[in-house]
Amino acid sequence: MLCVSGVLLLVVIDFAFSLGGMLSLPGMGILFTAGGLSAGYISGVRGKELFKGFARGVKTIAPAIPMIFFILGITYILREGMIVHTILNYVYNIIGGFSPYGAILLLFAFIVILEFFIGSGTAKAFLIMPIVAPLAHLIGISGNSVVLTFCMGDGFTNLLYPTSGIMIIAIGLVNVSYGKWLKFTWKLFLAEGLLAVAIMHLALFVNYA
């Protein structure tokens, strides 16, 4: 409980002072490690057995570490090379010619695709919203509907793409391959995607504002 509270405090401080994860991310690693060892000790595991269990856990998630660095590299290249801005400009030019119902589908698809390269919801919001929000208003999509679409596109894909570091670590902890995970869950993700589209269109129909 103390470790979780510490993590939440670090996240709040990180956000308040715009540190960009410099405090919260290392803090999470340290506090979660301390919490795991403490939980093992409290449960009765002692000495060598405790550290052997910790080593087994590290071994389980180790294959995900290169993937995380790969994800960070993709994000850096997209940002520094102004590639994302080029993509956003292209979307800006094509989305205006559609009806609100068609435009919101394009926006949803764009967010779902961008999620593969940029897992951070905050980063995507800073990149997308300044361009999409004014355009959406001009073609009859309310600000709340835009936010709803963003949340729908950003949400379930966090557990879908292999570029999601958290998802890779999670399935690594239970020793499940990504192929097996996708084979087991693809129908659920398809159903969630269709439900998200229905909810977005319902928001337009009732003029969700």
Side-chain angles (χ1 to χ4, degrees), residues 7 20 27 30-31 37-38 45 47 70 93 99 108 110-111 122 136 139 142-143 148 155 162-163 167 169 178 184 199:
V7 169
I30 294 170
L31 289 175
L37 292 173
S38 300
V45 183
F70 178 69
N93 290 329
S99 69
F108 177 72
F110 174 62
I111 294 169
T122 303
I139 59 178
S142 68
L148 176 65
T163 50
M167 191 274 291
I169 290 173
Y178 176 70
F184 180 75
I199 292 173

PDB file of all heavy atoms in Angstrom, residues 7 20 27 30-31 37-38 45 47 70 93 99 108 110-111 122 136 139 142-143 148 155 162-163 167 169 178 184 199:
ATOM      1  N   VAL A   7       4.042   5.730  -5.526  1.00  0.00           N
ATOM      2  CA  VAL A   7       3.986   5.857  -6.986  1.00  0.00           C
ATOM      3  C   VAL A   7       2.988   6.934  -7.391  1.00  0.00           C
ATOM      4  O   VAL A   7       3.265   7.778  -8.252  1.00  0.00           O
ATOM      5  CB  VAL A   7       3.608   4.508  -7.625  1.00  0.00           C
ATOM      6  CG1 VAL A   7       3.277   4.696  -9.105  1.00  0.00           C
ATOM      7  CG2 VAL A   7       4.745   3.512  -7.476  1.00  0.00           C
ATOM      8  N   GLY A  20       7.841  15.221 -17.340  1.00  0.00           N
ATOM      9  CA  GLY A  20       7.856  14.282 -18.456  1.00  0.00           C
ATOM     10  C   GLY A  20       8.257  12.865 -18.097  1.00  0.00           C
ATOM     11  O   GLY A  20       8.861  12.164 -18.914  1.00  0.00           O
ATOM     12  N   GLY A  27      10.975   6.152 -10.288  1.00  0.00           N
ATOM     13  CA  GLY A  27      10.352   5.904  -8.995  1.00  0.00           C
ATOM     14  C   GLY A  27       9.483   4.668  -8.997  1.00  0.00           C
ATOM     15  O   GLY A  27       9.469   3.889  -8.034  1.00  0.00           O
ATOM     16  N   ILE A  30      11.715   1.559  -8.822  1.00  0.00           N
ATOM     17  CA  ILE A  30      12.280   1.341  -7.485  1.00  0.00           C
ATOM     18  C   ILE A  30      11.209   0.894  -6.494  1.00  0.00           C
ATOM     19  O   ILE A  30      11.388  -0.088  -5.753  1.00  0.00           O
ATOM     20  CB  ILE A  30      12.965   2.633  -6.990  1.00  0.00           C
ATOM     21  CG1 ILE A  30      14.179   2.955  -7.867  1.00  0.00           C
ATOM     22  CG2 ILE A  30      13.389   2.483  -5.520  1.00  0.00           C
ATOM     23  CD1 ILE A  30      14.782   4.314  -7.613  1.00  0.00           C
ATOM     24  N   LEU A  31      10.086   1.594  -6.479  1.00  0.00           N
ATOM     25  CA  LEU A  31       9.041   1.300  -5.494  1.00  0.00           C
ATOM     26  C   LEU A  31       8.349  -0.034  -5.760  1.00  0.00           C
ATOM     27  O   LEU A  31       8.042  -0.772  -4.823  1.00  0.00           O
ATOM     28  CB  LEU A  31       8.015   2.433  -5.465  1.00  0.00           C
ATOM     29  CG  LEU A  31       8.503   3.742  -4.844  1.00  0.00           C
ATOM     30  CD1 LEU A  31       7.452   4.832  -4.985  1.00  0.00           C
ATOM     31  CD2 LEU A  31       8.851   3.549  -3.371  1.00  0.00           C
ATOM     32  N   LEU A  37       9.548  -7.291  -3.315  1.00  0.00           N
ATOM     33  CA  LEU A  37      10.406  -7.969  -2.346  1.00  0.00           C
ATOM     34  C   LEU A  37       9.772  -7.970  -0.960  1.00  0.00           C
ATOM     35  O   LEU A  37       9.828  -8.983  -0.240  1.00  0.00           O
ATOM     36  CB  LEU A  37      11.775  -7.289  -2.307  1.00  0.00           C
ATOM     37  CG  LEU A  37      12.642  -7.443  -3.560  1.00  0.00           C
ATOM     38  CD1 LEU A  37      13.887  -6.579  -3.468  1.00  0.00           C
ATOM     39  CD2 LEU A  37      13.027  -8.911  -3.774  1.00  0.00           C
ATOM     40  N   SER A  38       9.153  -6.846  -0.591  1.00  0.00           N
ATOM     41  CA  SER A  38       8.496  -6.764   0.713  1.00  0.00           C
ATOM     42  C   SER A  38       7.320  -7.731   0.803  1.00  0.00           C
ATOM     43  O   SER A  38       7.119  -8.388   1.833  1.00  0.00           O
ATOM     44  CB  SER A  38       8.001  -5.335   0.967  1.00  0.00           C
ATOM     45  OG  SER A  38       9.073  -4.421   0.961  1.00  0.00           O
ATOM     46  N   VAL A  45       8.572 -15.841   2.465  1.00  0.00           N
ATOM     47  CA  VAL A  45       9.728 -16.223   1.658  1.00  0.00           C
ATOM     48  C   VAL A  45      10.947 -15.468   2.172  1.00  0.00           C
ATOM     49  O   VAL A  45      10.904 -14.251   2.333  1.00  0.00           O
ATOM     50  CB  VAL A  45       9.490 -15.915   0.167  1.00  0.00           C
ATOM     51  CG1 VAL A  45      10.667 -16.375  -0.670  1.00  0.00           C
ATOM     52  CG2 VAL A  45       8.210 -16.571  -0.309  1.00  0.00           C
ATOM     53  N   GLY A  47      15.475 -15.042   2.496  1.00  0.00           N
ATOM     54  CA  GLY A  47      16.831 -15.282   2.033  1.00  0.00           C
ATOM     55  C   GLY A  47      16.984 -15.568   0.556  1.00  0.00           C
ATOM     56  O   GLY A  47      16.448 -14.857  -0.307  1.00  0.00           O
ATOM     57  N   PHE A  70      12.936  -0.176 -28.321  1.00  0.00           N
ATOM     58  CA  PHE A  70      12.517  -0.027 -29.717  1.00  0.00           C
ATOM     59  C   PHE A  70      11.358   0.950 -29.825  1.00  0.00           C
ATOM     60  O   PHE A  70      11.323   1.806 -30.719  1.00  0.00           O
ATOM     61  CB  PHE A  70      12.125  -1.398 -30.268  1.00  0.00           C
ATOM     62  CG  PHE A  70      11.632  -1.373 -31.680  1.00  0.00           C
ATOM     63  CD1 PHE A  70      12.481  -1.084 -32.734  1.00  0.00           C
ATOM     64  CD2 PHE A  70      10.298  -1.641 -31.961  1.00  0.00           C
ATOM     65  CE1 PHE A  70      12.028  -1.066 -34.040  1.00  0.00           C
ATOM     66  CE2 PHE A  70       9.835  -1.624 -33.267  1.00  0.00           C
ATOM     67  CZ  PHE A  70      10.699  -1.331 -34.306  1.00  0.00           C
ATOM     68  N   ASN A  93      -5.943  17.680 -44.280  1.00  0.00           N
ATOM     69  CA  ASN A  93      -6.367  18.001 -45.647  1.00  0.00           C
ATOM     70  C   ASN A  93      -7.485  17.101 -46.166  1.00  0.00           C
ATOM     71  O   ASN A  93      -8.262  17.514 -47.032  1.00  0.00           O
ATOM     72  CB  ASN A  93      -5.168  17.909 -46.599  1.00  0.00           C
ATOM     73  CG  ASN A  93      -4.173  19.029 -46.375  1.00  0.00           C
ATOM     74  OD1 ASN A  93      -4.549  20.129 -45.976  1.00  0.00           O
ATOM     75  ND2 ASN A  93      -2.894  18.756 -46.606  1.00  0.00           N
ATOM     76  N   SER A  99     -18.601  13.921 -44.287  1.00  0.00           N
ATOM     77  CA  SER A  99     -19.684  14.258 -43.358  1.00  0.00           C
ATOM     78  C   SER A  99     -19.197  14.007 -41.934  1.00  0.00           C
ATOM     79  O   SER A  99     -18.188  13.313 -41.735  1.00  0.00           O
ATOM     80  CB  SER A  99     -20.899  13.375 -43.646  1.00  0.00           C
ATOM     81  OG  SER A  99     -20.619  12.022 -43.294  1.00  0.00           O
ATOM     82  N   PHE A 108     -11.180   8.256 -35.752  1.00  0.00           N
ATOM     83  CA  PHE A 108     -11.014   7.059 -34.923  1.00  0.00           C
ATOM     84  C   PHE A 108      -9.935   6.143 -35.503  1.00  0.00           C
ATOM     85  O   PHE A 108      -9.051   5.655 -34.784  1.00  0.00           O
ATOM     86  CB  PHE A 108     -12.349   6.324 -34.817  1.00  0.00           C
ATOM     87  CG  PHE A 108     -12.289   5.032 -34.057  1.00  0.00           C
ATOM     88  CD1 PHE A 108     -12.121   5.031 -32.681  1.00  0.00           C
ATOM     89  CD2 PHE A 108     -12.412   3.822 -34.726  1.00  0.00           C
ATOM     90  CE1 PHE A 108     -12.069   3.830 -31.978  1.00  0.00           C
ATOM     91  CE2 PHE A 108     -12.365   2.626 -34.030  1.00  0.00           C
ATOM     92  CZ  PHE A 108     -12.196   2.631 -32.650  1.00  0.00           C
ATOM     93  N   PHE A 110      -7.503   6.941 -37.506  1.00  0.00           N
ATOM     94  CA  PHE A 110      -6.201   7.599 -37.408  1.00  0.00           C
ATOM     95  C   PHE A 110      -5.604   7.432 -36.020  1.00  0.00           C
ATOM     96  O   PHE A 110      -4.415   7.126 -35.863  1.00  0.00           O
ATOM     97  CB  PHE A 110      -6.364   9.081 -37.754  1.00  0.00           C
ATOM     98  CG  PHE A 110      -5.104   9.887 -37.539  1.00  0.00           C
ATOM     99  CD1 PHE A 110      -3.960   9.604 -38.254  1.00  0.00           C
ATOM    100  CD2 PHE A 110      -5.091  10.916 -36.622  1.00  0.00           C
ATOM    101  CE1 PHE A 110      -2.805  10.350 -38.063  1.00  0.00           C
ATOM    102  CE2 PHE A 110      -3.949  11.660 -36.421  1.00  0.00           C
ATOM    103  CZ  PHE A 110      -2.799  11.377 -37.139  1.00  0.00           C
ATOM    104  N   ILE A 111      -6.421   7.594 -34.986  1.00  0.00           N
ATOM    105  CA  ILE A 111      -5.941   7.453 -33.612  1.00  0.00           C
ATOM    106  C   ILE A 111      -5.516   6.011 -33.337  1.00  0.00           C
ATOM    107  O   ILE A 111      -4.488   5.763 -32.704  1.00  0.00           O
ATOM    108  CB  ILE A 111      -7.021   7.904 -32.611  1.00  0.00           C
ATOM    109  CG1 ILE A 111      -7.267   9.405 -32.757  1.00  0.00           C
ATOM    110  CG2 ILE A 111      -6.604   7.578 -31.167  1.00  0.00           C
ATOM    111  CD1 ILE A 111      -8.484   9.909 -32.012  1.00  0.00           C
ATOM    112  N   THR A 122      -1.134  10.992 -23.564  1.00  0.00           N
ATOM    113  CA  THR A 122      -0.852  12.425 -23.394  1.00  0.00           C
ATOM    114  C   THR A 122      -0.116  12.983 -24.606  1.00  0.00           C
ATOM    115  O   THR A 122      -0.442  14.063 -25.108  1.00  0.00           O
ATOM    116  CB  THR A 122      -0.014  12.651 -22.129  1.00  0.00           C
ATOM    117  OG1 THR A 122      -0.711  12.106 -21.000  1.00  0.00           O
ATOM    118  CG2 THR A 122       0.230  14.137 -21.897  1.00  0.00           C
ATOM    119  N   ALA A 136     -12.798  19.659 -36.470  1.00  0.00           N
ATOM    120  CA  ALA A 136     -14.012  18.920 -36.125  1.00  0.00           C
ATOM    121  C   ALA A 136     -15.173  19.872 -35.870  1.00  0.00           C
ATOM    122  O   ALA A 136     -16.315  19.594 -36.267  1.00  0.00           O
ATOM    123  CB  ALA A 136     -13.757  18.051 -34.893  1.00  0.00           C
ATOM    124  N   ILE A 139     -16.824  21.044 -39.132  1.00  0.00           N
ATOM    125  CA  ILE A 139     -17.633  20.082 -39.889  1.00  0.00           C
ATOM    126  C   ILE A 139     -18.760  19.506 -39.031  1.00  0.00           C
ATOM    127  O   ILE A 139     -19.390  18.524 -39.416  1.00  0.00           O
ATOM    128  CB  ILE A 139     -16.764  18.943 -40.447  1.00  0.00           C
ATOM    129  CG1 ILE A 139     -16.034  18.191 -39.311  1.00  0.00           C
ATOM    130  CG2 ILE A 139     -15.785  19.461 -41.459  1.00  0.00           C
ATOM    131  CD1 ILE A 139     -15.197  17.031 -39.813  1.00  0.00           C
ATOM    132  N   SER A 142     -18.818  18.020 -32.185  1.00  0.00           N
ATOM    133  CA  SER A 142     -18.588  18.771 -30.956  1.00  0.00           C
ATOM    134  C   SER A 142     -17.266  18.367 -30.310  1.00  0.00           C
ATOM    135  O   SER A 142     -16.716  17.293 -30.586  1.00  0.00           O
ATOM    136  CB  SER A 142     -19.725  18.516 -29.954  1.00  0.00           C
ATOM    137  OG  SER A 142     -19.695  17.179 -29.492  1.00  0.00           O
ATOM    138  N   GLY A 143     -16.774  19.238 -29.447  1.00  0.00           N
ATOM    139  CA  GLY A 143     -15.525  18.956 -28.743  1.00  0.00           C
ATOM    140  C   GLY A 143     -15.603  17.695 -27.899  1.00  0.00           C
ATOM    141  O   GLY A 143     -14.659  16.901 -27.847  1.00  0.00           O
ATOM    142  N   LEU A 148     -14.310  11.971 -26.875  1.00  0.00           N
ATOM    143  CA  LEU A 148     -14.823  10.607 -26.776  1.00  0.00           C
ATOM    144  C   LEU A 148     -14.158   9.703 -27.804  1.00  0.00           C
ATOM    145  O   LEU A 148     -13.743   8.572 -27.487  1.00  0.00           O
ATOM    146  CB  LEU A 148     -16.340  10.606 -26.979  1.00  0.00           C
ATOM    147  CG  LEU A 148     -17.027   9.236 -26.989  1.00  0.00           C
ATOM    148  CD1 LEU A 148     -16.904   8.563 -25.626  1.00  0.00           C
ATOM    149  CD2 LEU A 148     -18.496   9.373 -27.390  1.00  0.00           C
ATOM    150  N   GLY A 155      -7.970   3.743 -26.037  1.00  0.00           N
ATOM    151  CA  GLY A 155      -8.203   2.843 -24.911  1.00  0.00           C
ATOM    152  C   GLY A 155      -7.875   1.392 -25.146  1.00  0.00           C
ATOM    153  O   GLY A 155      -6.845   0.886 -24.675  1.00  0.00           O
ATOM    154  N   PRO A 162       1.735  -4.929 -30.199  1.00  0.00           N
ATOM    155  CA  PRO A 162       2.997  -5.409 -29.609  1.00  0.00           C
ATOM    156  C   PRO A 162       3.949  -4.277 -29.250  1.00  0.00           C
ATOM    157  O   PRO A 162       4.972  -4.508 -28.613  1.00  0.00           O
ATOM    158  CB  PRO A 162       3.587  -6.293 -30.722  1.00  0.00           C
ATOM    159  CG  PRO A 162       3.018  -5.734 -31.984  1.00  0.00           C
ATOM    160  CD  PRO A 162       1.625  -5.276 -31.629  1.00  0.00           C
ATOM    161  N   THR A 163       3.626  -3.054 -29.678  1.00  0.00           N
ATOM    162  CA  THR A 163       4.453  -1.896 -29.321  1.00  0.00           C
ATOM    163  C   THR A 163       4.056  -1.296 -27.975  1.00  0.00           C
ATOM    164  O   THR A 163       4.615  -0.282 -27.570  1.00  0.00           O
ATOM    165  CB  THR A 163       4.346  -0.811 -30.409  1.00  0.00           C
ATOM    166  OG1 THR A 163       2.974  -0.559 -30.697  1.00  0.00           O
ATOM    167  CG2 THR A 163       5.057  -1.246 -31.675  1.00  0.00           C
ATOM    168  N   MET A 167       1.749  -3.957 -22.100  1.00  0.00           N
ATOM    169  CA  MET A 167       1.098  -5.200 -22.498  1.00  0.00           C
ATOM    170  C   MET A 167       2.112  -6.319 -22.673  1.00  0.00           C
ATOM    171  O   MET A 167       1.892  -7.456 -22.237  1.00  0.00           O
ATOM    172  CB  MET A 167       0.313  -4.975 -23.793  1.00  0.00           C
ATOM    173  CG  MET A 167      -0.619  -6.131 -24.176  1.00  0.00           C
ATOM    174  SD  MET A 167       0.208  -7.420 -25.123  1.00  0.00           S
ATOM    175  CE  MET A 167       0.517  -6.557 -26.663  1.00  0.00           C
ATOM    176  N   ILE A 169       5.010  -6.625 -21.222  1.00  0.00           N
ATOM    177  CA  ILE A 169       5.476  -7.043 -19.895  1.00  0.00           C
ATOM    178  C   ILE A 169       4.424  -7.916 -19.212  1.00  0.00           C
ATOM    179  O   ILE A 169       4.735  -8.940 -18.597  1.00  0.00           O
ATOM    180  CB  ILE A 169       5.803  -5.815 -19.027  1.00  0.00           C
ATOM    181  CG1 ILE A 169       7.063  -5.119 -19.568  1.00  0.00           C
ATOM    182  CG2 ILE A 169       6.017  -6.218 -17.572  1.00  0.00           C
ATOM    183  CD1 ILE A 169       7.375  -3.811 -18.876  1.00  0.00           C
ATOM    184  N   TYR A 178       2.873 -13.287 -27.727  1.00  0.00           N
ATOM    185  CA  TYR A 178       1.961 -12.302 -28.307  1.00  0.00           C
ATOM    186  C   TYR A 178       1.002 -12.957 -29.301  1.00  0.00           C
ATOM    187  O   TYR A 178      -0.181 -12.603 -29.353  1.00  0.00           O
ATOM    188  CB  TYR A 178       2.751 -11.185 -28.996  1.00  0.00           C
ATOM    189  CG  TYR A 178       1.852 -10.190 -29.691  1.00  0.00           C
ATOM    190  CD1 TYR A 178       1.057  -9.315 -28.955  1.00  0.00           C
ATOM    191  CD2 TYR A 178       1.768 -10.154 -31.083  1.00  0.00           C
ATOM    192  CE1 TYR A 178       0.213  -8.418 -29.587  1.00  0.00           C
ATOM    193  CE2 TYR A 178       0.930  -9.255 -31.717  1.00  0.00           C
ATOM    194  CZ  TYR A 178       0.156  -8.393 -30.967  1.00  0.00           C
ATOM    195  OH  TYR A 178      -0.686  -7.513 -31.592  1.00  0.00           O
ATOM    196  N   PHE A 184      -6.265 -15.433 -28.923  1.00  0.00           N
ATOM    197  CA  PHE A 184      -7.280 -15.612 -27.889  1.00  0.00           C
ATOM    198  C   PHE A 184      -8.214 -14.412 -27.783  1.00  0.00           C
ATOM    199  O   PHE A 184      -9.379 -14.554 -27.419  1.00  0.00           O
ATOM    200  CB  PHE A 184      -6.582 -15.844 -26.540  1.00  0.00           C
ATOM    201  CG  PHE A 184      -7.523 -16.047 -25.393  1.00  0.00           C
ATOM    202  CD1 PHE A 184      -8.212 -17.238 -25.230  1.00  0.00           C
ATOM    203  CD2 PHE A 184      -7.719 -15.032 -24.467  1.00  0.00           C
ATOM    204  CE1 PHE A 184      -9.089 -17.418 -24.170  1.00  0.00           C
ATOM    205  CE2 PHE A 184      -8.591 -15.203 -23.396  1.00  0.00           C
ATOM    206  CZ  PHE A 184      -9.272 -16.400 -23.247  1.00  0.00           C
ATOM    207  N   ILE A 199     -20.954   3.817 -30.376  1.00  0.00           N
ATOM    208  CA  ILE A 199     -21.071   4.851 -29.340  1.00  0.00           C
ATOM    209  C   ILE A 199     -20.727   6.220 -29.907  1.00  0.00           C
ATOM    210  O   ILE A 199     -21.392   7.226 -29.614  1.00  0.00           O
ATOM    211  CB  ILE A 199     -20.158   4.509 -28.145  1.00  0.00           C
ATOM    212  CG1 ILE A 199     -20.688   3.262 -27.426  1.00  0.00           C
ATOM    213  CG2 ILE A 199     -20.074   5.686 -27.171  1.00  0.00           C
ATOM    214  CD1 ILE A 199     -19.771   2.753 -26.332  1.00  0.00           C
TER     215      ILE A 199
END
